[in-house]
Amino acid sequence: MSTPTSADVVVIGSGICGALAACRLAQQGLSVLILEAGPRIDRGRIVAAFRNSTRRGDWMSPYPFSPWAPQPEYKPRDNGYLVQAGPYPYPAEYIRVVGGTTWHWAAQAWRLVPNDVRIKSLYDVGVDWPITYDELDAWYQEAEEILGVAGADNTGSPRKHPFPMQPVAEPWSMRRFRERLAPAYAVVANTVARNSRSYDGRPACVGNNSCQPICPVNAQYLGINAVDSAEAAGAKVVPNAVVYRIEADAKGRIAAVHYYDPDKQSHRVTGKEFILAANGIESPKLLLLSATDKYPNGLANRSGMVGRNLMDHPSSSLTFYADEELWLGRGPQSPSSINTMRDGAFRAQHAAYRLDFTNISQVNAVTEDLIREGVYGPAFKQQLRWRAARQCNVKNVLEVLPHPENRITLSSEKDALGIPKPEAHYSIDEYTRRGADVSHNDFAKIAQLMGGTGLRYSLDGQFANNQHITGTLGMGNDPTKFVTDGFGRSHDHENLFCCGTGVMPTAATMNSTLTAVALALRTVEHMHPRQATTKESVARAAAETSA
Ligand SMILES: Cc1cc2nc3c(=O)[nH]c(=O)nc-3n(C[C@H](O)[C@H](O)[C@H](O)COP(=O)(O)OP(=O)(O)OC[C@H]3O[C@@H](n4cnc5c(N)ncnc54)[C@H](O)[C@@H]3O)c2cc1C
Ligand code: SF4
């Protein structure tokens, strides 16, 4: 069968956002073509690769690397794909395969809190969103129903309808945190796209603790589930199709995209509408790559903001030994958190944050520590058992503000196809650092309540990255300041829409994918409204009209 070269809608990227957008449009009878840079992969092979890996702590290790669709990798050494211009590293991880990066996500699927979209008005920091939380509510609900989100009532994010599912069973370690921290903190179940019961043909979580890098039983919703639904609805996927240029016509409409196959043969695909969903780094890269004489700064870049306001959620952390056996590693990896610092007047002074407890088995980490310390023989066995049973970790998940100088640009270095690599320019400001300092008081209190010994803070001033690539295609009403409008449509090209975490104008404190999916569903509804036959869609249409 020949590869299609035209469609009503061409989608660039088959991650969770692109695939769900494609699915929704294909369900409406439109012809939809998804161009995906990476290959198709098979869950069974990834599970086997993980089991056989000597680097199980490296969640990228089971995933194939394709020279034509490189992805950033850091172990055993940095492959240099995402060039770091500094001054602070931005070591983003993503997977370029059919289904995208959620193959190895932790499935935390939180809503924002209402004030997150008004921080400029309320606290005079960051920017306001062009939409309200109330407008997002119905799209969150729809996203949660598609993904199968399990959650508790006490998340701090208002909702009009219940979660599709009750929370996943609480692991023992998290129960003990909840009970022992109760005098000072409310430890709640994380809201997750992970089944607590059979849902939509996928089984309930069985608690085997390999959510990252791969859930063997399909209990977490992944981008590949969205791809399957899109294909079932009639969308066509072209794997190994590396888009390298988007072409605008004389009137400024997008006319076509160009992609390379792995042999560097070029192909041109036309369409009536285009959705850019290649993630918060590759999408702005593509717009910048598409510069012409008429658009010397790249497409969709009248504002000069393409690639700017790069954000994530930096984390520092505390590791310690509790005074009782917790045996992390039973149940999902990321089950519980403390969410009371997500909002408040303090946001005028310092970053909001939440506190997240890991439930990842500590056996690997402790083994590495003991080998490094030169412990052998019976002492090794005794220490391994003692430490792995008690070692635990809490991290902060910090808000960062949008700064134009934090950005993705095109590097002078090229990949194997001769395409410029993305280059990250990043720093962490005092606002976020002050938030980290405040959260360290919580760390100390938590350790004290858990009878903690052997306290080890992550290195002073050092932050880990949480892989929530936000802000590079920010939405806002002013075309001179924002890349996309409130519906994700490019201000400069009327048939170009952006889906993904990049359109979020601020990062708040919650993992960003659920919000990006909700926004993507709203974008495609704006492109092609469904028949308003259900009570829900009538209410949604009314809310959009009155907004
Ligand atoms: C270890 C880890 C854990 C995470 N845990 C969470 C979590 O618990 N909760 C949460 O909310 N988020 C989490 N994330 C982030 C989450 O994975 C992303 O937010 C999400 O995948 C973004 O979806 P997307 O569709 O925008 O992009 P992606 O999933 O990255 O998909 C983009 C797709 O576009 C394709 N593409 C790229 N360039 C091109 C091109 N030139 N031509 C054609 N196709 C292209 C890519 O190959 C990819 O398939 C985690 C990320 C990591 C790495
Ligand atoms: S704990 Fe196991 S079954 Fe549950 S989501 Fe994680 S990997 Fe899948």
Side-chain angles (χ1 to χ4, degrees):
M1 200 175 64
S2 64
T3 308
T5 55
S6 186
D8 291 331
V9 186
V10 178
V11 180
I12 305 168
S14 69
I16 193 166
C17 294
L20 281 174
C23 177
R24 182 47 52 83
L25 293 168
Q27 283 168 345
Q28 302 217 67
L30 292 149
S31 64
V32 181
L33 187 58
I34 307 178
L35 301 174
E36 165 53 51
R40 285 187 192 269
I41 57 172
D42 172 74
R43 184 188 300 267
R45 285 182 184 273
I46 301 301
V47 172
F50 166 59
R51 287 200 176 122
N52 295 327
S53 174
T54 51
R55 295 187 286 121
R56 288 199 185 178
D58 174 6
W59 296 326
M60 293 298 281
S61 71
Y63 291 93
F65 180 87
S66 311
W68 59 91
Q71 57 206 12
E73 296 190 348
Y74 305 102
K75 294 176 190 165
R77 64 191 66 82
D78 191 338
N79 70 358
Y81 174 62
L82 178 57
V83 177
Q84 302 291 331
Y88 204 84
Y90 187 89
E93 231 179 40
Y94 49 89
I95 313 181
R96 289 174 90 187
V97 297
V98 174
T101 309
T102 51
W103 272 102
H104 73 5
W105 72 328
Q108 291 204 36
W110 295 95
R111 293 179 174 209
L112 303 178
V113 293
N115 286 349
D116 284 337
V117 299
R118 300 176 57 221
I119 58 173
K120 181 69 183 167
S121 305
L122 292 170
Y123 310 120
D124 198 25
V125 294
V127 292
D128 287 351
W129 290 39
I131 49 180
T132 64
Y133 181 91
D134 268 0
E135 283 168 75
L136 269 177
D137 175 77
W139 302 106
Y140 270 138
Q141 187 71 31
E142 192 163 333
E144 288 161 347
E145 284 170 15
I146 294 171
L147 270 56
V149 171
D153 294 331
N154 52 357
T155 61
S157 303
R159 51 187 310 115
K160 296 194 175 97
H161 300 287
F163 280 107
M165 276 174 263
Q166 291 296 305
V168 175
E170 186 182 42
W172 170 256
S173 53
M174 299 298 127
R175 175 177 161 183
R176 292 302 293 144
F177 273 116
R178 180 171 54 76
E179 291 171 344
R180 294 191 61 178
L181 302 187
Y185 298 101
V187 176
V188 299
N190 284 341
T191 296
V192 289
R194 177 178 295 120
N195 288 352
S196 60
R197 61 176 169 85
S198 300
Y199 187 86
D200 198 24
R202 295 179 295 108
C205 169
V206 289
N208 45 9
N209 201 243
S210 67
C211 328
Q212 300 163 107
I214 179 79
C215 174
V217 300
N218 204 10
Q220 303 191 133
Y221 189 91
L222 309 180
I224 194 62
N225 301 116
V227 172
D228 289 345
S229 305
E231 290 188 298
K236 303 273 181 258
V237 179
V238 186
N240 303 315
V242 187
V243 177
Y244 67 92
R245 185 159 85 86
I246 304 173
E247 178 190 325
D249 67 16
K251 291 186 177 150
R253 285 178 63 83
I254 303 304
V257 298
H258 299 250
Y259 72 85
Y260 287 134
D261 63 26
D263 297 325
K264 210 178 172 181
Q265 296 300 306
S266 185
H267 307 258
R268 183 173 182 267
V269 171
T270 57
K272 294 179 190 146
E273 292 170 310
F274 295 81
I275 294 180
L276 180 54
N279 86 29
I281 289 177
E282 297 293 335
S283 289
K285 185 187 98 176
L286 261 174
L287 292 171
L288 296 172
L289 271 176
S290 304
T292 59
D293 288 347
K294 186 169 176 191
Y295 300 102
N297 298 324
L299 293 185
N301 203 12
R302 180 175 15 149
S303 61
M305 286 296 145
V306 167
R308 291 189 184 268
N309 299 317
L310 176 67
M311 293 170 278
D312 194 322
H313 293 126
S315 283
S316 53
S317 65
L318 172 65
T319 304
F320 61 92
Y321 303 117
D323 64 2
E324 63 173 301
E325 295 195 352
L326 297 171
W327 283 113
L328 270 57
R330 295 172 294 175
Q333 289 177 336
S334 195
S336 297
S337 55
I338 296 171
N339 289 312
T340 43
M341 287 73 74
R342 289 170 68 189
D343 187 39
F346 63 81
R347 282 173 101 175
Q349 266 77 49
H350 68 75
Y353 58 91
R354 62 191 193 87
L355 299 170
D356 201 73
F357 296 100
T358 186
N359 186 37
I360 293 177
S361 164
Q362 298 297 295
V363 173
N364 247 9
V366 166
T367 304
E368 285 173 10
D369 286 348
L370 289 170
I371 291 171
R372 221 178 358 255
E373 290 168 28
V375 182
Y376 297 105
F380 181 95
K381 197 172 164 191
Q382 186 269 331
Q383 278 292 312
L384 176 61
R385 192 186 156 78
W386 192 92
R387 293 192 196 184
R390 291 167 179 79
Q391 183 160 293
C392 51
N393 172 280
V394 56
K395 71 173 179 182
N396 52 33
V397 180
L398 292 155
E399 178 177 30
V400 296
L401 296 175
H403 295 301
E405 60 276 18
N406 287 345
R407 62 192 294 215
I408 295 297
T409 59
L410 300 178
S411 169
S412 54
E413 294 182 30
K414 307 252 170 74
D415 68 18
L417 287 178
I419 300 172
K421 297 176 180 179
E423 183 167 292
H425 304 245
Y426 196 58
S427 61
I428 294 179
D429 68 9
E430 284 307 312
Y431 182 81
T432 297
R433 289 175 189 276
R434 281 195 294 274
D437 289 346
V438 175
S439 75
H440 286 203
N441 299 332
D442 298 312
F443 287 176
K445 179 105 185 155
I446 288 166
Q448 184 219 332
L449 288 167
M450 296 299 294
T453 51
L455 274 55
R456 284 151 285 154
Y457 288 87
S458 54
L459 286 178
D460 193 26
Q462 302 278 309
F463 296 92
N465 183 299
N466 268 300
Q467 317 301 354
H468 305 148
I469 308 159
T470 325
T472 50
L473 303 165
M475 48 164 62
N477 292 328
D478 184 345
T480 65
K481 292 189 177 142
F482 298 94
V483 179
T484 51
D485 71 11
F487 289 97
R489 184 198 296 256
S490 151
H491 280 298
D492 303 354
H493 311 282
E494 64 173 352
N495 64 340
L496 177 64
F497 297 83
C498 298
C499 292
T501 49
V503 298
M504 293 172 64
T506 59
T509 55
M510 310 313 278
N511 315 51
S512 11
T513 310
L514 184 78
T515 301
V517 168
L519 291 169
L521 295 173
R522 184 169 175 271
T523 296
V524 288
E525 181 75 12
H526 184 66
M527 292 169 69
H528 292 279
R530 285 167 293 179
Q531 294 283 323
T533 49
T534 63
K535 211 169 130 201
E536 272 299 296
S537 51
V538 170
R540 188 177 299 124
E544 295 290 358
T545 314
S546 64

